């Protein structure tokens, strides 16, 4: 019987999901780098972690880190040298929610958020998060400095408060929402990478919304919210191809329960 795959913890989801050669006259098959492979590159090569530190952060064995890293480096080399498109998607991973005491070795802001919001909401509570600035829905998800969260029970807002993201930015914001135990996100523009990260975290997205944040939540509760299910962000040009549904096999949820 095959050994079950241990889910790899990812603290920072990629902002850009696809890299294309400048000269694409010769169409070549894309090389797919999984999200957990991307995370080893980010931690080891960008952050300068040792393999032991990377293993602790991703909550896997050091030998597993070494194997994932070698595969990732080979894929990147093939893409660069042979001129293949490089796409980031899939893998066996889960979005960090701040539960781990070893997350960023005690320096992860999601820990503080998780500890505050870890209390079970209860079956009757829905938690809605809105990108927030001066009472309005902030229009660029990746630069969100504050969320306003609303707890809704029996069609009424029973509690709301503004939460500082502490400058988490882009790939870490899905983890912040996960730590907040959010069920729904209402926002303006949002890139493909962030959309994929939210789907992997099980957070429902209602994008392309503007105007007063409180009124948007009221409209959502009344099922009259005007949103764009195909919202795009001009800062991020690429997302999953047509017909791919995030949260299915190979997009973060497989074997990660």
């Amino acid at each position: 019987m095959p050994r079950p795959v241990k889910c790899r913890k990812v603290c920072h989801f990629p902002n850009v999901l696809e890299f294309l050669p400048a000269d694409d006259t010769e169409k070549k098959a894309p090389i797919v780098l999984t999200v957990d492979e991307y995370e080893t590159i980010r931690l080891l090569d960008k952050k300068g972690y040792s393999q032991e530190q990377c293993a602790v952060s991703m909550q896997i064995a050091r030998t597993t880190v070494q194997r994932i890293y070698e595969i990732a480096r080979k894929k990147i080399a093939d893409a660069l040298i042979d001129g293949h498109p490089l796409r980031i998607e899939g893998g066996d991973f889960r979005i960090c929610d701040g539960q781990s005491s070893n997350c960023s070795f005690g320096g992860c802001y999601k820990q503080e958020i998780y500890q505050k919001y870890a209390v079970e909401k209860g079956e009757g509570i829905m938690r809605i998060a809105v990108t927030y600035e001066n009472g309005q829905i902030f229009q660029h998800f990746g630069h969100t400095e504050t969320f306003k969260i609303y707890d809704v029970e029996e069609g009424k807002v029973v509690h709301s408060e503004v939460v500082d993201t502490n400058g988490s930015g882009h790939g870490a914001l899905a983890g912040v929402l996960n730590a907040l135990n959010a069920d729904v996100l209402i926002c303006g523009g949002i890139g493909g990478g962030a959309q994929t990260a939210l789907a992997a975290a099980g957070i429902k997205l209602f994008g392309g919304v503007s105007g007063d944040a409180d009124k948007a939540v009221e409209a959502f509760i009344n099922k009259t919210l005007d949103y764009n299910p195909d919202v795009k962000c001009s800062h991020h040009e690429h997302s999953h191809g047509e017909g791919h549904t995030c949260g299915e096999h190979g997009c973060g949820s497989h074997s990660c329960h």
Side-chain angles (χ1 to χ4, degrees):
M1 187 174 179
R3 193 177 189 180
V5 176
K6 185 173 182 181
C7 212
R8 293 93 189 237
K9 181 169 71 67
V10 170
C11 286
H12 192 288
F13 201 87
N15 302 326
V16 179
L17 297 179
E18 192 170 23
F19 300 86
L20 302 174
D23 181 4
D24 62 349
T25 53
E26 181 185 354
K27 300 290 185 181
K28 294 184 177 180
I31 290 175
V32 176
L33 188 73
T34 64
V35 175
D36 46 317
E37 290 168 352
Y38 160 88
E39 182 73 345
T40 63
I41 295 292
R42 186 184 74 86
L43 293 177
L44 294 172
D45 291 341
K46 173 68 173 176
K47 300 281 287 183
Y49 282 18
S50 67
Q51 289 189 359
E52 289 78 6
Q53 289 173 319
C54 182
V56 170
S57 179
M58 295 182 69
Q59 298 183 346
I60 53 178
R62 187 194 62 78
T63 52
T64 303
V65 166
Q66 186 176 32
R67 177 172 54 83
I68 295 172
Y69 181 62
E70 289 174 354
I71 292 170
R73 291 286 292 270
K74 177 65 165 59
K75 288 181 178 180
I76 293 172
D78 287 344
L80 291 176
I81 294 168
D82 296 331
H84 287 267
L86 182 68
R87 183 183 302 156
I88 305 174
E89 66 179 19
D92 292 289
F93 69 94
R94 62 182 176 84
I95 301 295
C96 174
D97 59 6
Q99 291 191 51
S100 171
S101 59
N102 292 322
C103 191
S104 294
F105 304 97
C108 179
Y109 183 65
K110 293 187 291 292
Q111 289 181 5
E112 179 183 336
I113 293 176
Y114 175 78
Q115 289 168 3
K116 182 176 179 180
Y117 293 94
V119 178
E120 184 65 38
K121 297 195 304 283
E123 293 183 4
I125 297 288
M126 173 184 290
R127 180 162 293 157
I128 302 169
V130 181
T131 53
Y132 189 78
E133 184 179 57
N134 298 324
Q136 302 292 300
I137 298 172
F138 184 63
Q139 289 302 297
H140 183 33
F141 175 79
H143 293 168
T144 300
E145 295 184 357
T146 55
F147 289 113
K148 188 170 182 179
I149 60 170
Y150 303 76
D151 285 348
V152 177
E153 185 175 20
E154 296 182 354
K156 296 181 179 179
V157 175
V158 295
H159 175 76
S160 66
E161 65 178 289
V162 177
V163 178
D164 190 344
T165 66
N166 199 40
S168 296
H170 282 99
L173 285 172
V176 171
L177 291 168
N178 208 14
L180 283 167
N181 209 1
D183 301 298
V184 170
L185 170 67
I186 297 174
C187 67
I190 183 169
Q195 292 183 44
T196 305
L198 291 171
I203 299 169
K204 295 180 180 179
L205 171 65
F206 294 83
V209 184
S210 60
D212 184 88
D214 293 351
K215 290 181 179 178
V217 170
E218 183 179 349
F220 175 82
I221 293 170
N222 294 325
K223 299 182 179 179
T224 59
L225 180 67
D226 184 15
Y227 71 98
N228 180 6
D230 300 314
V231 63
K232 303 291 182 185
C233 179
S234 60
H235 292 77
H236 305 276
E237 296 181 357
H238 297 99
S239 60
H240 281 299
E242 291 183 9
H244 181 91
T245 302
C246 295
E248 293 181 342
H249 175 87
C251 198
S253 62
H254 179 62
S255 301
C256 294
H257 303 289

